[in-house]
Amino acid sequence: SLDQIAKRHAVFKVETIGDCYVAACGVPEVRPDHALVMATFARKCVERVVTVVAELEVLLGPGTADLGMRFGLHSGPVMAGVLRGEKSRFQLFGDTM
């Protein structure tokens, strides 16, 4: 899963919003290689999705291969905080997000 790939590469999963997987690297400790790590994470995720789609196509038939994945990589400053409510969660804010 993408969570396992994130853990292997020390990428922090912030949240999933609909079909959007939000992750960060270099938070809270700065990493000079954050861009390389995130690009590697994105490539590994695409490789995994290609494998899963091929397996689904065998199981479910043609047309399943229409599934895909896209990535947006952003780099820059963010603010972080914990949002309270029914369910507390860590959140990142800023133009970079």
Side-chain angles (χ1 to χ4, degrees):
S1 80
L2 302 185
D3 291 347
Q4 292 167 331
I5 297 169
K7 187 178 242 183
R8 245 189 328 261
H9 293 281
V11 169
F12 175 71
K13 176 186 176 183
V14 178
E15 63 185 331
T16 305
I17 307 169
D19 64 350
C20 182
Y21 187 98
V22 181
C25 183
V27 176
E29 289 88 28
V30 175
R31 286 188 66 166
D33 64 343
H34 66 276
L36 178 61
V37 171
M38 287 305 288
T40 301
F41 168 69
R43 184 176 50 83
K44 293 291 185 182
C45 288
V46 169
E47 289 170 359
R48 179 68 184 131
V49 167
V50 167
T51 301
V52 169
V53 167
E55 292 168 358
L56 286 173
E57 190 171 26
V58 169
L59 185 66
L60 302 175
T64 309
D66 293 341
L67 294 173
M69 177 180 268
R70 62 187 173 87
F71 278 87
L73 299 176
H74 305 273
S75 181
V78 295
M79 294 285 295
V82 177
L83 295 179
R84 300 276 181 204
E86 221 174 277
K87 196 175 182 183
S88 295
R89 63 190 173 107
F90 181 75
Q91 185 65 53
L92 298 176
F93 304 94
D95 292 341
T96 305
M97 295 305 296

